[in-house]
Each structure stands twice: as C-alpha cells, then as structure tokens.
Amino acid sequence: MDSSDFTESMLDQLPMERFWDIPLYQWDGFWYRSYHLQATMALRSQYIARDDDIILASPMKTGTTWLKALCFSILQKDETAARLNEETLAKTEEDEPHHSRDPLVDNHPAVYVQTLEVQVFTAKPPPDVSAMKSPRLFHTHLPYTALPDSIKTSNCKLVYITRNPKDTLVSMWHFFNKLRTPEQGPYPFEQAFESFINGVSHFGPFFDHVLQYWNQSLKSPNKILFLKYENLKKDPKGEVKKLASFLGKPFNNEKEVEDVIWRCSLERLKNLEVNKNGIDPWVGMQNSAFFRSGIVGDWKNIMSKELSERLDQITIQKLKDSGLHLEI
C-alpha cells in the first residue's frame, strides 16, 4: 500500500488498536489515524522535494509549535527587520514595535508551517505545492521511513526535535484530554502510559521514531539537524544560533538572536490574542491547547514513582548502544 489508491477498505487489512478511544492503524511498523494514513499515501505519491526545501520533523508533543515559530521567524527575520525599520521608532513602549508587524500576532505558527499529513494533504483536493515559491517550509510527524523518497535523496534539509519520553507522554495526555467532555473527565493516565510504552500512539512507537532520525542524522549531519527540547530550554541562544546557521540564515548580531527568541517564547505566544481565543481549523482544537506549561520535568506532577522508574528502564534499554541520550 504505497499510492494514492489508498481507500478505507484497505484499513481492514491492517492491525488496529485504540489510543484514547481513537482507532489507530499500523502500517510499516508505525501507528496512524485513518485520515493521516490516507494523506501520507497521497504525500508519498505526489510530493517532489526541492533542494532548498526545509522539512521540520518531530514526534507529537515534543516542541513542534515552538520549532515551527522559530524556523519561520529565522527565515523571515530579514523581511521582519525591514518592516520594523519602516515604522515610527517613537513607538517604543515595551512590545509595541515588535507586535505591530509580526506575522505571529495574526496567526498560529501552524498557519505558516503546515504539517504535510495533517494539514496539506488532508485537503481535498490537496493544494498544488509545486506552485509554491521557494524556499518551502513544511512540517511532518511521519517517521523517517515513511517520508517520500525525494525528501531523502534531494539536498533539502530536515530539522528534527524530540523531548524526554516522560514529558512527551504527559504533554500528550494533557493535549488529548482537551478532546474529552467534562462528563468523560480525563483519560486514565495509567492506560495512556501502557499504550505509549507499547508503541501505540499517533505516529508511534516513540523510540523507533526518534532512533530513525537520530541514526540518519549521524549518517548525514549536513542534511539532518537533531535537536533536543531540553537543550533549547537550557541554552536558547546557542541552539537557536545553531539552527539559524543550519538553515543558511545566520544572525548578524546578538540583538537579532534575542528578538527571535522573544518572538517565539511560549510566554509571549500563549498570551497573543490569536492563541488565547483562536481555533485550529484542521483539527478543531483551540489554539491555546498547543501552549501549556513547556516546563522540563512537568511529568513529576502526574507520573508516579513506579511508572517513572518503568519508563526510565525502557528508555535505557531502547537507546542502548545508540549513542543517544534523552533525559530521564
């Protein structure tokens, strides 16, 4: 099953498990919602990568929205600076000069950096991405093996971000609970935990996903930049500079770096009107659901010591001999 001929009837041939009462289907070792899988097949058959494409990739709930905002702002920084220079410098009251012409004020980052299998190729018919001007900037949650061959063989660049598995799971738990009614209440965390460690989650298994991109980044460091959420939190300046250089848009001075970090900060984004009250048109979630605490170690507020130790042991075993370290 690797073409645009995918139909609902083909789902009957695939293993199915439920995650948050949502049916997920296993294809080529990973789990998908039906419409994500259909979009993936369309993507694989129709998307032709260009050498100057930039593809962001991530497991769910590992800093995707932050990465989208950062990369968009880095690529737009020269245009943004030019627009700001046109404004009256007298308007220097705190945030005003920055807010007035910043595209992130008007839209959620997902509007500017769309996820291929969630937004772009779920449209009917899909848009003609070949008509888009370069450089094209997209995102995907797909595992490396599911990407179109042209992405792998072209000179386009991939930026991957991941996060420690405990915070990933807890963030996922909070996120999907937004889909539940007050009468239903939160989904039992222990059930979510068991699904996650068994690999049954959107675009999971988590560790297989991470290791695919990690191994490819070791083989092709000029093509794939592998980032960790925790490093971005600890050293935002250093990591954002590294990201900008990788994208071919190095900063000219420290002020530019600080400006991009400020524009894309969780605190700022979550308090913008569009993210406090807007609705994501693709999945029907409130924009605010994409901005929660962003804290490293937030898992401690939910996960028991027993579950934490179980996941630590699984993490150690899964990453053994890979050279990759994720915080536990």
Side-chain angles (χ1 to χ4, degrees):
M1 185 174 64
D2 187 16
S3 75
S4 55
D5 295 331
F6 175 86
T7 63
E8 289 295 321
S9 63
M10 292 182 180
L11 294 175
D12 296 337
Q13 305 169 28
L14 301 177
M16 190 274 282
E17 296 282 352
R18 290 188 175 274
F19 177 76
W20 250 267
D21 297 326
I22 299 167
L24 298 183
Y25 298 87
Q26 189 184 54
W27 175 71
D28 199 25
F30 288 84
W31 295 92
Y32 303 81
R33 292 182 76 158
S34 60
Y35 72 97
H36 291 157
L37 187 51
Q38 186 169 4
T40 298
M41 296 307 156
L43 164 66
R44 284 164 61 88
S45 65
Q46 298 172 34
Y47 188 87
I48 305 299
R50 299 174 188 162
D51 287 342
D52 59 357
D53 281 352
I54 297 166
I55 309 294
L56 315 182
S58 62
M60 285 195 73
K61 309 313 299 174
T62 59
T64 300
T65 303
W66 192 14
L67 183 64
K68 285 182 176 184
L70 285 169
C71 290
F72 173 75
S73 295
I74 288 168
L75 293 177
Q76 293 286 316
K77 65 184 174 66
D78 294 337
E79 293 177 29
T80 302
R83 285 195 299 268
L84 292 175
N85 286 337
E86 293 172 0
E87 297 181 352
T88 306
L89 295 178
K91 295 182 180 179
T92 54
E93 291 183 20
E94 209 156 287
D95 298 339
E96 179 58 29
H98 301 281
H99 275 286
S100 48
R101 297 289 180 91
D102 180 6
L104 293 175
V105 173
D106 301 319
N107 291 295
H108 186 283
V111 171
Y112 303 115
V113 189
Q114 295 191 11
T115 299
L116 289 165
E117 71 286 350
V118 176
Q119 296 162 293
V120 181
F121 282 89
T122 54
K124 298 189 184 302
D128 181 10
V129 294
S130 67
M132 293 178 62
K133 69 176 185 178
S134 295
R136 299 182 301 184
L137 176 61
F138 292 113
H139 167 263
T140 184
H141 284 307
L142 295 180
Y144 183 82
T145 48
L147 296 177
D149 288 340
S150 64
I151 290 180
K152 301 172 191 172
T153 58
S154 70
N155 290 323
C156 76
K157 292 189 173 182
L158 287 143
V159 180
Y160 185 78
I161 190 168
T162 192
R163 190 180 192 181
N164 79 73
K166 290 190 283 196
D167 279 334
T168 298
L169 171 58
V170 167
S171 181
M172 195 181 295
W173 182 74
H174 282 289
F175 183 77
F176 281 107
N177 279 336
K178 298 285 186 182
L179 297 173
R180 292 171 68 83
T181 65
E183 292 74 28
Q184 288 175 312
Y187 190 78
F189 184 77
E190 292 73 14
Q191 289 184 37
F193 180 92
E194 295 300 329
S195 291
F196 184 79
I197 65 171
N198 288 323
V200 183
S201 61
H202 291 62
F203 308 102
F206 171 80
F207 292 104
D208 293 355
H209 198 289
V210 172
L211 285 171
Q212 281 193 358
Y213 281 94
W214 170 250
N215 290 330
Q216 289 299 321
S217 74
L218 296 179
K219 293 176 187 175
S220 306
N222 293 327
K223 182 177 177 65
I224 303 179
L225 177 64
F226 191 99
L227 299 175
K228 299 177 187 176
Y229 182 89
E230 293 79 12
N231 290 348
L232 263 173
K233 293 287 286 187
K234 287 177 190 172
D235 180 20
K237 274 193 181 181
E239 293 294 293
V240 170
K241 283 181 182 179
K242 181 168 67 176
L243 176 58
S245 294
F246 181 78
L247 296 177
K249 287 280 190 177
F251 292 102
N252 296 309
N253 51 60
E254 290 296 307
K255 183 180 180 302
E256 282 189 353
V257 187
E258 291 167 1
D259 186 59
V260 165
I261 291 171
W262 173 80
R263 285 178 187 280
C264 303
S265 66
L266 174 68
E267 211 49 48
R268 186 211 178 210
L269 290 177
K270 75 189 294 184
N271 285 302
L272 292 177
E273 193 64 28
V274 67
N275 296 324
K276 286 198 292 187
N277 298 307
I279 301 288
D280 181 321
W282 292 278
V283 294
M285 298 273 282
Q286 292 184 337
N287 285 344
S288 59
F290 295 85
F291 307 94
R292 203 177 59 82
S293 74
I295 296 170
V296 175
D298 187 48
W299 61 266
K300 295 171 185 174
N301 295 314
I302 298 292
M303 196 176 295
S304 68
K305 185 169 183 278
E306 178 190 357
L307 294 184
S308 168
E309 290 174 352
R310 278 182 66 194
L311 189 44
D312 286 349
Q313 290 307 308
I314 292 168
T315 301
I316 292 167
Q317 186 60 37
K318 292 285 188 181
L319 301 184
K320 185 180 179 183
D321 299 326
S322 70
L324 174 63
H325 171 75
L326 297 178
E327 291 193 14
I328 59 175

